[in-house]
Amino acid sequence: FDSEDALKYFPSLNVRKRYIGDYDHAVLASRASGTGNSARSLVYADGILLSNLLGNGATYTPRWGLVTPEEIERVDVLYGPFSAAYPGNSVGAVVDYVTRMPKQFEGHAKVSGFSQGYKQYGTDATYTGKQASASLGNKSGDWSWWLAVNRLGSNGQPIAFVNKLVSAGAVGNAGTPVTGAIADKNPQNKDWVILGSTNQVHTVQDHAKVKLAYDFSPTVRASYTLGWWSNDATRTSETYLRDALGNPIYSGNVNINGRQYALAASDFAPSRGTLEHVMHGLSVKSNTKGIWDWEIAASLYDYAKDLVRSPTVALPPAN
């Protein structure tokens, strides 16, 4: 469904992809560097850097959306530690998507869908998504071109759950009595209560790309790439808590089994994001397959828009 899937069966590589369309946590890990060190691996497309080196960690995801499955010819992987041909961030691995250009007129159209059943704690739902893509390309003499559009709409499962340690609750009758909390033990084997699910992501991603190439000779080609990607993402939360009248409870002081807990507005906070990225790439390379080849590449990556809104008040007014 996306370019991350092309790496699924490479040895010693792992993409931390939590759901189809995961755009902000699907970092690359290798045998030399884990998911907490995203800046220690590099991802390219035709020599254009897709890695997000603004930081180092699980949230600095490569811009996978700038490569579509239809255009991938192959994926070259150079395993670390380090490579003299790339910057020092290549300590983990270097992944380079090699995209193809048409050799004759071709057109493609694809519509696909997916669905998953999910049941955990108080969440029991079916999450679905769909994808549609179309592309055209042709080669005439020394010139070739490729035009592609893609839309992905995906509903991922909840990523996290609101919880409170039982020991954090004050014994007494204070607070609004609620039902629906689920008793469990945390990874340290301490008693806690699960109050609801969070980070259920609905993402709609649009992609468009134009590629032009000119063959100076059978072994030397110049290429230009213009890529555009946008994303509208909504993260929602669900509370399991209900008061005596059956109303959902998202904040305030609640009483669960004789203990009072304080629910902050941020415990169930949703968010909405709007992103728009533009990529330019220009390269001239030789491909003699002899003992010596060369390449010159320049790229410009623009975060045209990167806006996330998170409320400071509790649900439902937060919407």
Side-chain angles (χ1 to χ4, degrees), residues 178 238-243 245-251 315-316:
V178 295
E238 177 191 8
T239 180
Y240 302 154
L241 304 180
R242 298 293 186 272
D243 63 14
L245 298 177
N247 300 312
I249 301 299
Y250 286 95
S251 64
L315 288 166

Side-chain angles (χ1 to χ4, degrees), residues 1 20 111-116 126-132 151-156 202-203:
F1 282 98
I20 294 176
V111 177
S112 53
F114 48 89
S115 174
Q116 69 159 339
T126 299
Y127 299 100
T128 62
K130 56 188 176 181
Q131 183 186 55
R151 164 166 277 203
L152 170 67
S154 176
N155 288 285
H202 172 62
T203 175

Side-chain angles (χ1 to χ4, degrees), residues 16-35:
R16 187 180 180 269
K17 176 181 170 182
R18 304 168 300 172
Y19 55 87
I20 294 176
D22 190 359
Y23 64 94
D24 63 348
H25 274 77
V27 292
L28 176 67
S30 68
R31 63 191 177 197
S33 186
T35 55

Side-chain angles (χ1 to χ4, degrees), residues 258-286:
R259 288 179 178 267
Q260 177 186 335
Y261 302 87
L263 293 182
S266 58
D267 285 336
F268 288 96
S271 70
R272 295 176 182 174
T274 303
L275 300 88
E276 184 177 0
H277 296 181
V278 180
M279 174 185 73
H280 299 268
L282 179 65
S283 67
V284 182
K285 66 176 68 177
S286 69

